[in-house]
Amino acid sequence: MSPHTYEEIQQLLQTNRQLETPFLILDGQLLRANARRFRAAFPNGQVCFAVKANNDPRVLQIFHEEGLHFDVASWGEIQTLANLGVPASNMVFSAPTKLPRDIARAYKFGIHRFAFDTRIELDKLASLAPGSNVIGRVTVDNDGSHWPLERKFGIEPGQELDLFLYANQLGLNPYGLTFHVGSQNKDPHAWVRALERLHPIWLALEENGIHLSIINTGGGFPAHFNEPVPEMEEIAAAILPALERLFGQKAGLIVEPGRGLVGDAGIMAATVINRARRGDSDWLYLDVGAFHGLIEGMDFFGFQYPVISERQGEPLVPFVLSGPTCDSADVIHHQAMLPSGIGYGDRVYVLTAGAYSNSLEKYNGMGFPKTIVTGID
Ligand SMILES: Cc1ncc(COP(=O)(O)O)c(C=O)c1O
């Protein structure tokens, strides 16, 4: 299912083979190709990469060169982009809940497009980013998605008009509607259903003199794990006619892919550091696990990374894959099919590891809180 053949993986590893594991390889050519495919699939849309999916400056540089814009979630992410020369006009602050200091810094930097989903967020924007363009996050069904987001975000259904009227009252500029169909969504019609849900909201706003300019269809584009998924072009072929049918020429389009741009490009190289038989399962212990980049393999997230090894000619049998930490939750796979003789010292490659892996080190551009130890002279 990975876009890389075994030979391509070998090629990507060629110059890095001697490196001590673990390490994450990101295929720059594939990143570039994906950026081009997204831009071609949405020729009149603004493709904004969701930086939270992978915040490595070299990845962001490639996307900047390829003409992508960016969805940011914090001042930390904005700073990383600013250091690469990305102008504020190429950024949209789509996190519905923002740190107040981040709003102020973003506004001062020149960002004038912000998402919201509550009155409080509108109050914050009115005082810290006066006159900004505001985009209302609407709840939509997340059917078809592996990682739904609908519970945490979105304007309470039925409150959309009230909130936009309130935004007007506060001197903010009602600018658009946005939604997220949930990460790793395999159903292109999820986006169509979401647009159909937006339509009556858009009409009600128009009837009340609120004329929006933008629809932001969020992320959700799937990467290739162990099952078939629609390609970005297929999803675009569902979104674009629905947008035209429901909104005609009135709505500009933003799309915010994260996983769909970077997931396939990542290969985590790891080494087996232990093997054990526990009950009726075979366990392999790797030198990398859930707490150092492969969090989405944990039961809670349930993503099934494709995993390969370089051993040839042995039958494939199921293994539980665990990370090196002393935490029992540090398990990233329950049924990785690997050669039966695999053991201590063998290399393992975890594929489709380019999204929400290295960015966890400073997730959403936010570092860890500082620690204060009291009672020390
Ligand atoms: C506002 C927003 N846009 C886009 C994305 C990217 O989503 P995905 O990686 O599923 O494409 C996210 C992910 O959380 C998000 O919160």
Side-chain angles (χ1 to χ4, degrees), residues 9-29:
I9 292 169
Q10 294 300 315
Q11 251 170 22
L12 286 169
L13 287 165
Q14 226 169 34
T15 49
N16 302 296
R17 183 169 295 284
Q18 305 315 323
L19 274 182
E20 193 174 64
T21 62
F23 56 86
L24 177 71
I25 297 184
L26 291 164
D27 178 351
Q29 276 180 344

mmCIF file of all heavy atoms in Angstrom, residues 9-29:
data_model
loop_
_atom_site.group_PDB
_atom_site.id
_atom_site.type_symbol
_atom_site.label_atom_id
_atom_site.label_comp_id
_atom_site.label_asym_id
_atom_site.label_seq_id
_atom_site.Cartn_x
_atom_site.Cartn_y
_atom_site.Cartn_z
ATOM 1 N N ILE A 9 12.648 2.075 -1.559
ATOM 2 C CA ILE A 9 13.028 2.245 -0.144
ATOM 3 C C ILE A 9 14.529 1.998 0.005
ATOM 4 O O ILE A 9 15.235 2.740 0.681
ATOM 5 C CB ILE A 9 12.205 1.292 0.746
ATOM 6 C CG1 ILE A 9 10.740 1.738 0.739
ATOM 7 C CG2 ILE A 9 12.735 1.261 2.173
ATOM 8 C CD1 ILE A 9 9.765 0.769 1.358
ATOM 9 N N GLN A 10 15.018 0.956 -0.671
ATOM 10 C CA GLN A 10 16.454 0.677 -0.621
ATOM 11 C C GLN A 10 17.257 1.864 -1.124
ATOM 12 O O GLN A 10 18.279 2.233 -0.557
ATOM 13 C CB GLN A 10 16.785 -0.563 -1.470
ATOM 14 C CG GLN A 10 16.202 -1.847 -0.936
ATOM 15 C CD GLN A 10 16.704 -2.155 0.466
ATOM 16 O OE1 GLN A 10 17.882 -2.042 0.751
ATOM 17 N NE2 GLN A 10 15.803 -2.497 1.371
ATOM 18 N N GLN A 11 16.759 2.495 -2.197
ATOM 19 C CA GLN A 11 17.460 3.652 -2.763
ATOM 20 C C GLN A 11 17.477 4.821 -1.782
ATOM 21 O O GLN A 11 18.499 5.485 -1.605
ATOM 22 C CB GLN A 11 16.755 4.093 -4.036
ATOM 23 C CG GLN A 11 17.557 3.776 -5.279
ATOM 24 C CD GLN A 11 16.732 4.004 -6.519
ATOM 25 O OE1 GLN A 11 15.748 4.751 -6.482
ATOM 26 N NE2 GLN A 11 17.111 3.376 -7.604
ATOM 27 N N LEU A 12 16.315 5.045 -1.154
ATOM 28 C CA LEU A 12 16.231 6.150 -0.200
ATOM 29 C C LEU A 12 17.180 5.927 0.967
ATOM 30 O O LEU A 12 17.706 6.867 1.558
ATOM 31 C CB LEU A 12 14.798 6.278 0.346
ATOM 32 C CG LEU A 12 13.771 6.871 -0.607
ATOM 33 C CD1 LEU A 12 12.370 6.684 -0.044
ATOM 34 C CD2 LEU A 12 14.034 8.345 -0.821
ATOM 35 N N LEU A 13 17.403 4.655 1.289
ATOM 36 C CA LEU A 13 18.246 4.341 2.433
ATOM 37 C C LEU A 13 19.730 4.402 2.094
ATOM 38 O O LEU A 13 20.571 4.543 2.982
ATOM 39 C CB LEU A 13 17.929 2.930 2.940
ATOM 40 C CG LEU A 13 16.604 2.786 3.679
ATOM 41 C CD1 LEU A 13 16.236 1.325 3.812
ATOM 42 C CD2 LEU A 13 16.714 3.420 5.061
ATOM 43 N N GLN A 14 20.010 4.312 0.790
ATOM 44 C CA GLN A 14 21.381 4.104 0.344
ATOM 45 C C GLN A 14 22.429 4.923 1.095
ATOM 46 O O GLN A 14 23.319 4.368 1.730
ATOM 47 C CB GLN A 14 21.464 4.419 -1.139
ATOM 48 C CG GLN A 14 22.219 3.381 -1.922
ATOM 49 C CD GLN A 14 22.016 3.623 -3.391
ATOM 50 O OE1 GLN A 14 21.893 4.772 -3.816
ATOM 51 N NE2 GLN A 14 21.976 2.565 -4.172
ATOM 52 N N THR A 15 22.251 6.234 1.066
ATOM 53 C CA THR A 15 23.294 7.075 1.664
ATOM 54 C C THR A 15 23.191 7.146 3.182
ATOM 55 O O THR A 15 24.085 7.663 3.828
ATOM 56 C CB THR A 15 23.210 8.505 1.093
ATOM 57 O OG1 THR A 15 21.854 8.913 1.189
ATOM 58 C CG2 THR A 15 23.680 8.562 -0.339
ATOM 59 N N ASN A 16 22.080 6.653 3.711
ATOM 60 C CA ASN A 16 21.890 6.767 5.163
ATOM 61 C C ASN A 16 22.002 5.441 5.892
ATOM 62 O O ASN A 16 21.797 5.371 7.096
ATOM 63 C CB ASN A 16 20.500 7.353 5.452
ATOM 64 C CG ASN A 16 20.339 8.704 4.801
ATOM 65 O OD1 ASN A 16 21.029 9.639 5.145
ATOM 66 N ND2 ASN A 16 19.452 8.793 3.831
ATOM 67 N N ARG A 17 22.323 4.404 5.148
ATOM 68 C CA ARG A 17 22.297 3.067 5.727
ATOM 69 C C ARG A 17 23.176 2.937 6.958
ATOM 70 O O ARG A 17 22.850 2.230 7.905
ATOM 71 C CB ARG A 17 22.738 2.058 4.648
ATOM 72 C CG ARG A 17 22.693 0.626 5.095
ATOM 73 C CD ARG A 17 22.878 -0.301 3.924
ATOM 74 N NE ARG A 17 21.764 -0.190 2.989
ATOM 75 C CZ ARG A 17 20.572 -0.724 3.190
ATOM 76 N NH1 ARG A 17 20.332 -1.382 4.298
ATOM 77 N NH2 ARG A 17 19.623 -0.595 2.301
ATOM 78 N N GLN A 18 24.314 3.660 6.943
ATOM 79 C CA GLN A 18 25.271 3.499 8.061
ATOM 80 C C GLN A 18 24.839 4.229 9.331
ATOM 81 O O GLN A 18 25.400 4.028 10.392
ATOM 82 C CB GLN A 18 26.662 4.025 7.652
ATOM 83 C CG GLN A 18 27.237 3.407 6.378
ATOM 84 C CD GLN A 18 27.072 1.891 6.332
ATOM 85 O OE1 GLN A 18 27.180 1.206 7.366
ATOM 86 N NE2 GLN A 18 26.792 1.346 5.167
ATOM 87 N N LEU A 19 23.832 5.098 9.174
ATOM 88 C CA LEU A 19 23.385 5.880 10.342
ATOM 89 C C LEU A 19 22.849 4.971 11.433
ATOM 90 O O LEU A 19 22.235 3.946 11.153
ATOM 91 C CB LEU A 19 22.241 6.809 9.939
ATOM 92 C CG LEU A 19 22.548 8.166 9.357
ATOM 93 C CD1 LEU A 19 21.254 8.907 9.099
ATOM 94 C CD2 LEU A 19 23.435 8.948 10.319
ATOM 95 N N GLU A 20 23.105 5.386 12.667
ATOM 96 C CA GLU A 20 22.548 4.638 13.796
ATOM 97 C C GLU A 20 21.038 4.878 13.852
ATOM 98 O O GLU A 20 20.589 6.021 13.691
ATOM 99 C CB GLU A 20 23.209 5.162 15.068
ATOM 100 C CG GLU A 20 22.993 4.312 16.272
ATOM 101 C CD GLU A 20 23.812 4.841 17.451
ATOM 102 O OE1 GLU A 20 23.534 5.965 17.899
ATOM 103 O OE2 GLU A 20 24.721 4.115 17.885
ATOM 104 N N THR A 21 20.259 3.831 14.043
ATOM 105 C CA THR A 21 18.804 4.011 14.178
ATOM 106 C C THR A 21 18.490 4.479 15.598
ATOM 107 O O THR A 21 19.319 4.288 16.488
ATOM 108 C CB THR A 21 18.060 2.689 13.906
ATOM 109 O OG1 THR A 21 18.471 1.735 14.865
ATOM 110 C CG2 THR A 21 18.289 2.201 12.499
ATOM 111 N N PRO A 22 17.317 5.045 15.874
ATOM 112 C CA PRO A 22 16.269 5.289 14.889
ATOM 113 C C PRO A 22 16.483 6.596 14.133
ATOM 114 O O PRO A 22 17.078 7.526 14.652
ATOM 115 C CB PRO A 22 15.020 5.396 15.772
ATOM 116 C CG PRO A 22 15.530 5.931 17.069
ATOM 117 C CD PRO A 22 16.905 5.390 17.246
ATOM 118 N N PHE A 23 15.965 6.628 12.911
ATOM 119 C CA PHE A 23 15.902 7.894 12.170
ATOM 120 C C PHE A 23 14.716 7.859 11.232
ATOM 121 O O PHE A 23 14.250 6.787 10.829
ATOM 122 C CB PHE A 23 17.205 8.198 11.420
ATOM 123 C CG PHE A 23 17.667 7.124 10.472
ATOM 124 C CD1 PHE A 23 17.205 7.066 9.172
ATOM 125 C CD2 PHE A 23 18.591 6.170 10.896
ATOM 126 C CE1 PHE A 23 17.653 6.091 8.291
ATOM 127 C CE2 PHE A 23 19.038 5.176 10.025
ATOM 128 C CZ PHE A 23 18.569 5.138 8.724
ATOM 129 N N LEU A 24 14.238 9.068 10.911
ATOM 130 C CA LEU A 24 13.086 9.216 10.018
ATOM 131 C C LEU A 24 13.575 9.799 8.706
ATOM 132 O O LEU A 24 14.185 10.864 8.699
ATOM 133 C CB LEU A 24 12.056 10.158 10.656
ATOM 134 C CG LEU A 24 10.815 10.473 9.830
ATOM 135 C CD1 LEU A 24 9.895 9.254 9.720
ATOM 136 C CD2 LEU A 24 10.038 11.643 10.451
ATOM 137 N N ILE A 25 13.340 9.085 7.620
ATOM 138 C CA ILE A 25 13.670 9.625 6.295
ATOM 139 C C ILE A 25 12.411 10.236 5.708
ATOM 140 O O ILE A 25 11.349 9.606 5.743
ATOM 141 C CB ILE A 25 14.147 8.504 5.351
ATOM 142 C CG1 ILE A 25 15.424 7.886 5.878
ATOM 143 C CG2 ILE A 25 14.346 9.027 3.944
ATOM 144 C CD1 ILE A 25 15.998 6.856 4.948
ATOM 145 N N LEU A 26 12.534 11.442 5.185
ATOM 146 C CA LEU A 26 11.399 12.041 4.476
ATOM 147 C C LEU A 26 11.787 12.192 3.011
ATOM 148 O O LEU A 26 12.825 12.794 2.703
ATOM 149 C CB LEU A 26 11.052 13.402 5.097
ATOM 150 C CG LEU A 26 10.454 13.287 6.507
ATOM 151 C CD1 LEU A 26 10.496 14.622 7.227
ATOM 152 C CD2 LEU A 26 9.022 12.764 6.453
ATOM 153 N N ASP A 27 10.998 11.632 2.143
ATOM 154 C CA ASP A 27 11.302 11.607 0.713
ATOM 155 C C ASP A 27 10.915 12.953 0.084
ATOM 156 O O ASP A 27 9.747 13.203 -0.219
ATOM 157 C CB ASP A 27 10.512 10.446 0.085
ATOM 158 C CG ASP A 27 10.724 10.347 -1.413
ATOM 159 O OD1 ASP A 27 11.333 11.262 -2.005
ATOM 160 O OD2 ASP A 27 10.260 9.345 -1.998
ATOM 161 N N GLY A 28 11.923 13.799 -0.098
ATOM 162 C CA GLY A 28 11.687 15.157 -0.605
ATOM 163 C C GLY A 28 11.034 15.177 -1.977
ATOM 164 O O GLY A 28 10.207 16.046 -2.276
ATOM 165 N N GLN A 29 11.403 14.193 -2.799
ATOM 166 C CA GLN A 29 10.796 14.166 -4.144
ATOM 167 C C GLN A 29 9.306 13.881 -4.073
ATOM 168 O O GLN A 29 8.506 14.447 -4.805
ATOM 169 C CB GLN A 29 11.486 13.116 -5.001
ATOM 170 C CG GLN A 29 12.749 13.658 -5.629
ATOM 171 C CD GLN A 29 13.450 12.624 -6.484
ATOM 172 O OE1 GLN A 29 13.168 11.426 -6.379
ATOM 173 N NE2 GLN A 29 14.353 13.081 -7.319
#
